């Protein structure tokens, strides 16, 4: 089979990204235009602004990805784009552009699930290192700003199939990082800031109880209550409680004024450095940050390893924006080794949203000629199966 050069396009949230990947195993170029500066004043992603920024960035980002890869529009073999899940308006920018390119160039168009992209970020880099295909079954924890999902993954012909065996009942882990950072006056996005501040505090200073999930999951499906429960064990997460616990801690300990001062001080600095954050944080705040991160990490690692044991998996993947977290990586490595399960992460650059993962996930579909029809559309709540 000749090499296939696939252009990936990703615009599901707040990064406009394009990349060229060869045959699902070699990253040729990877361009990510972040919108952090646009959303920062609002402390979170504003969907309308995200769409507008994608529109502004999509053409130059794709051009840059082609130039870095020394490819032309005509030398590509296929165009892959994120179909969902994500913000509908943001997804549509990438999809419309990918469709136009595929139509004008008469190239195959491939629709990719963003979550499958995160899984393939791991595979792409392992293949690039010359490692063998993973041992199955694989358990993948996709942990990001929008998701905290556990998938049991298996191979099926050229492609992969996924069974969801756990998900967050409320906030995603990355969302908890972002909301708590905002609450403490640290700005947006919270994950990377908390990651860098946590080693400066005492993680045992504040006790956060892990969320106990006792009731079965009830979801509204087309207006009907649907019980998602089968006889397979489930490993669900919940992170809205810890956010409330941090809020209570802040109130009980009278931290509101110092938080407001921190917010104002940091707002005056265009790109605060670690020293700037440290200069605005007292011991109590650093201890709170470290304890919060420890609680999230312990919950993610213990539930995931319990699921790995229950399903007797051979390999664990940890991927998505929160997989960039230093303490999470270290704890998974240590406890995975103790449990005898090899754990694989993407590099930090491919943990957060990017288009290389989309181009990589598209390769099995390219081999299977699983191409998208020109009338396919964005699916904000696309499920991974
Ligand atoms: O995968 P991603 O780029 O976008 C989504 O699909 O959501 O993930 C972004 C999320 C944000 O919530 C961000 O705060 C979090 O990942 N994140 C981190 C770190 N880097 C990014 N969380 C903890 N530690 C980090 N180092
Ligand atoms: Zn993502």
């Amino acid at each position: 089979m000749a090499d296939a050069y696939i252009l990936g396009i990703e615009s599901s949230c707040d990064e406009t990204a394009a990349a060229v990947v060869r045959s699902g195993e070699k990253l040729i170029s990877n361009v990510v235009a972040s919108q952090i500066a646009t959303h920062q004043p609002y402390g979170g992603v504003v969907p309308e602004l995200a769409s507008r920024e994608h529109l502004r960035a999509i053409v130059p980002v794709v051009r840059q990805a082609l130039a870095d890869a020394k490819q032309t529009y005509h030398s590509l073999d296929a165009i892959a784009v994120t179909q969902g899940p994500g913000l509908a308006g943001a997804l549509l920018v990438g999809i419309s552009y990918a469709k136009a390119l595929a139509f004008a160039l008469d190239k195959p168009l491939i629709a990719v699930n963003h979550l499958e992209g995160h899984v393939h970020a791991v595979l792409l880099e392992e293949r690039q290192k010359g490692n063998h295909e993973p041992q199955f079954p694989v358990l993948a924890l996709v942990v990001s700003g929008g998701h905290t999902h556990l998938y049991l993954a298996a191979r099926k012909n050229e492609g992969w199939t996924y069974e969801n065996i756990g998900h967050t009942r409320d906030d995603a882990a990355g969302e908890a990082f972002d909301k708590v950072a905002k609450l403490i006056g640290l700005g947006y996005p919270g994950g990377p800031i908390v990651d860098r501040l946590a080693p400066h505090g005492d993680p045992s200073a504040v006790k956060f109880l892990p969320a106990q999930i006792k009731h079965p999951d009830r979801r509204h499906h087309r207006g009907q209550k649907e019980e998602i429960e089968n006889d397979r064990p489930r490993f669900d997460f919940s992170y809205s409680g810890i956010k409330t616990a941090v809020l209570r801690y802040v109130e009980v300990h009278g931290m509101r004024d110092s938080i407001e001062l921190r917010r104002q001080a940091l707002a005056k600095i265009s790109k605060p450095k670690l020293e700037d954050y440290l200069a605005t944080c007292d011991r109590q705040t650093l201890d709170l940050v470290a304890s919060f991160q420890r609680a999230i990490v312990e919950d993610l690692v213990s539930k995931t390893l319990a699921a790995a044991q229950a399903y007797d998996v051979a390999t664990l993947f940890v991927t998505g924006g929160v997989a960039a977290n230093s303490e999470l990586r270290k704890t998974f490595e240590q406890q995975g080794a103790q449990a005898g399960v090899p754990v694989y992460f993407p590099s930090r650059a491919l943990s957060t949203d990017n288009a290389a993962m989309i181009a990589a996930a598209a390769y099995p579909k390219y081999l299977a000629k699983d191409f998208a029809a020109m009338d396919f559309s964005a699916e904000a709540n696309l499920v991974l199966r």
Side-chain angles (χ1 to χ4, degrees), residues 12-15 114 118 143-147 173-175 177-178 189-192 195 293 320-326 348 351-353:
S12 66
C13 190
D14 60 345
E15 335 268 2
H114 180 85
H118 277 302
V143 59
S144 69
H147 294 86
E175 197 177 346
F177 271 97
D178 295 337
D195 191 353
Q293 179 172 284
V322 181
N325 186 270
S326 317
R348 282 191 168 73
S351 293
T352 49
D353 286 351

Side-chain angles (χ1 to χ4, degrees), residues 19-102:
V20 177
V21 172
R22 192 184 68 211
S23 306
E25 61 177 20
K26 178 90 180 97
L27 179 64
I28 311 287
S29 68
N30 185 31
V31 180
V32 181
S34 165
Q35 304 178 357
I36 285 178
T38 305
H39 301 291
Q40 210 148 29
Y42 307 95
V45 179
V46 183
E48 288 79 3
L49 296 183
S51 306
R52 197 184 68 189
E53 290 300 307
H54 285 307
L55 273 174
R56 231 203 285 267
I58 190 95
V59 175
V61 163
V62 168
R63 276 195 192 138
Q64 189 64 47
L66 289 177
D68 291 355
K70 301 195 172 42
Q71 293 285 315
T72 65
Y73 291 111
H74 294 280
S75 64
L76 295 168
D77 293 288
I79 290 146
V81 64
T82 307
Q83 180 178 16
L87 302 168
L91 288 161
L92 276 173
V93 177
I95 292 173
S96 309
Y97 189 56
K99 279 185 183 174
L101 278 181

Side-chain angles (χ1 to χ4, degrees), residues 155-338:
R155 276 215 83 135
K156 191 176 171 196
N157 305 324
E158 299 290 359
W160 286 53
T161 58
Y162 303 87
E163 182 193 350
N164 181 269
I165 60 156
H167 59 211
T168 180
R169 297 286 186 90
D170 39 57
D171 292 355
E175 197 177 346
F177 271 97
D178 295 337
K179 286 179 175 168
V180 162
K182 184 176 176 185
L183 177 70
I184 307 177
L186 292 171
Y188 162 87
I193 306 165
V194 169
D195 191 353
R196 288 155 70 208
L197 285 177
H200 298 270
D202 173 4
S204 60
V206 188
K207 296 268 170 282
F208 291 111
L209 295 175
Q212 297 294 331
I213 300 166
K214 296 209 175 78
H215 55 90
D217 194 9
R218 288 189 180 80
R219 301 235 146 177
H220 292 273
H221 182 64
R222 293 201 185 109
Q224 289 181 325
K225 261 191 183 169
E226 181 195 42
E227 267 190 27
I228 303 179
E229 225 198 346
N230 54 29
D231 47 6
R232 310 257 277 163
R234 289 195 61 82
F235 296 86
D236 286 350
F237 305 88
S238 165
Y239 295 115
S240 72
I242 191 165
K243 181 188 61 190
T244 315
V246 172
L247 177 63
R248 256 192 68 71
Y249 186 92
V250 161
E251 276 168 2
V252 167
H253 293 83
M255 294 167 79
R256 280 210 173 271
D257 292 347
S258 67
I259 287 173
E260 192 44 41
L261 290 176
R262 176 175 314 120
R263 201 189 312 278
Q264 287 170 11
L266 290 171
K268 289 192 191 118
I269 309 170
S270 71
K271 278 198 181 134
K273 298 193 190 58
L274 179 60
E275 304 86 80
D276 299 318
Y277 287 110
L278 286 172
T280 64
C281 288
D282 56 9
R283 173 121 319 271
Q284 190 179 32
T285 304
L286 292 171
D287 287 351
L288 179 61
V289 165
S291 303
F292 161 76
Q293 179 172 284
R294 174 64 53 89
I296 299 264
V297 166
E298 279 184 349
D299 189 69
L300 284 169
V301 174
S302 63
K303 282 198 183 121
T304 304
L305 287 177
Q309 199 171 25
Y311 284 89
D312 200 15
V313 306
T315 311
L316 197 58
F317 285 8
V318 181
T319 185
V322 181
N325 186 270
S326 317
E327 187 176 351
L328 185 76
R329 293 170 94 98
K330 205 166 70 197
T331 312
F332 258 122
E333 264 156 19
Q334 283 166 354
Q335 297 193 15
Q338 279 166 14

